[in-house]
C-alpha cells in the first residue's frame, strides 16, 4: 500500500514526469537492443559472405586443378594456388581465434587474405568470440574445421 499511497500523493505534474521518464527509459532500452540486434545481424551477414567466398574459391580451385590435370597448362595450376589463398586465409583466422587468448591481429590478417571486407572483420571476429557456443555458429565452425582438412587434401592432390 505504500507505493499506491506515494503515487496518490504525487502532484499531477510529478506523475507526468514519472510516466514520461519511464517511457524514455523504455525507448532507450529498445534502442540499445535494436543497436545490438543490428550489429549482430550485420556480423552474421559478414560471416555468411565470407563463407560464400570460401566455398566459391574452394570450388574454383578444384575446377582449375582438373583443368591443369587435363592440359598441364601452368596457368591453371597458378589459378589453383591463387584460389586456395581464400580458404587458407580463413583457416588462419579460425586458428588464430581458437587460441587462448585469441590472436586478433592474425585473425584480421587471415580474414583479409580470405577476402572478407575490412569493415566486416571486427564484427565477424566478435560474432565468433561471443556466439561460438550457439548451435548454428558452433555447427558452422565445426563444418569449417572439417572442410579445412579437405582443403589440405586438395592442396596435397594438387602438389602431386
Amino acid at each position: 500500500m505504500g507505493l499506491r499511497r506515494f503515487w496518490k500523493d504525487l502532484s499531477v505534474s510529478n506523475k507526468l514526469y514519472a510516466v514520461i521518464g519511464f517511457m524514455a527509459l523504455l525507448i532507450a532500452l529498445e534502442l540499445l537492443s535494436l543497436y545490438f540486434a543490428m550489429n549482430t545481424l550485420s556480423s552474421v551477414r559478414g560471416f555468411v559472405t565470407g563463407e560464400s567466398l570460401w566455398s566459391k574459391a574452394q570450388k574454383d580451385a578444384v575446377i582449375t586443378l582438373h583443368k591443369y590435370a587435363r592440359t598441364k597448362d601452368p596457368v591453371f595450376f597458378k589459378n589453383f594456388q591463387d584460389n586456395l589463398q581464400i580458404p587458407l586465409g580463413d583457416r588462419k583466422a579460425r586458428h588464430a581465434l581458437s587460441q587462448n587468448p585469441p590472436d586478433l591481429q592474425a585473425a584480421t590478417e587471415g580474414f583479409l587474405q580470405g577476402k572478407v571486407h575490412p569493415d566486416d572483420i571486427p564484427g565477424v571476429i566478435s560474432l565468433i568470440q561471443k556466439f561460438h557456443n550457439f548451435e548454428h555458429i558452433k555447427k558452422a565452425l565445426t563444418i569449417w574445421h572439417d572442410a579445412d582438412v579437405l582443403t589440405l587434401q586438395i592442396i596435397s592432390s594438387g602438389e602431386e
Side-chain angles (χ1 to χ4, degrees), residues 38-51:
M38 293 303 293
N39 279 339
T40 303
L41 189 60
S42 179
S43 298
V44 169
R45 180 202 44 78
F47 185 81
V48 169
T49 301
E51 185 279 330

Side-chain angles (χ1 to χ4, degrees), residues 23-69:
M23 294 301 286
L25 176 67
L26 289 176
I27 290 170
L29 288 173
E30 187 174 347
L31 288 174
L32 284 173
S33 57
L34 180 63
Y35 176 78
F36 173 76
M38 293 303 293
N39 279 339
T40 303
L41 189 60
S42 179
S43 298
V44 169
R45 180 202 44 78
F47 185 81
V48 169
T49 301
E51 185 279 330
S52 175
L53 293 168
W54 182 96
S55 62
K56 181 178 180 341
Q58 190 182 44
K59 179 189 74 161
D60 289 347
V62 171
I63 289 170
T64 55
L65 183 59
H66 282 286
K67 288 179 181 178
Y68 175 72

Side-chain angles (χ1 to χ4, degrees), residues 54 98 138 160:
W54 182 96
S98 67
K138 190 174 193 171
E160 287 177 17

Side-chain angles (χ1 to χ4, degrees), residues 70-134:
R70 282 194 321 266
T71 65
K72 302 295 185 225
D73 184 348
V75 169
F76 290 123
F77 190 73
K78 174 75 170 111
N79 288 342
F80 164 74
Q81 292 174 320
D82 290 345
N83 284 320
L84 285 175
Q85 293 308 304
I86 292 173
L88 290 175
D90 289 342
R91 179 176 187 269
K92 176 181 175 183
R94 185 181 55 76
H95 278 284
L97 291 174
S98 67
Q99 294 176 3
N100 192 11
D103 184 349
L104 301 181
Q105 181 62 35
T108 300
E109 291 169 6
F111 283 131
L112 284 172
Q113 182 180 336
K115 306 248 190 251
V116 174
H117 194 280
D119 293 342
D120 290 337
I121 291 173
V124 172
I125 290 173
S126 176
L127 178 80
I128 292 171
Q129 288 182 314
K130 290 178 184 173
F131 298 105
H132 67 275
N133 285 325
F134 280 71

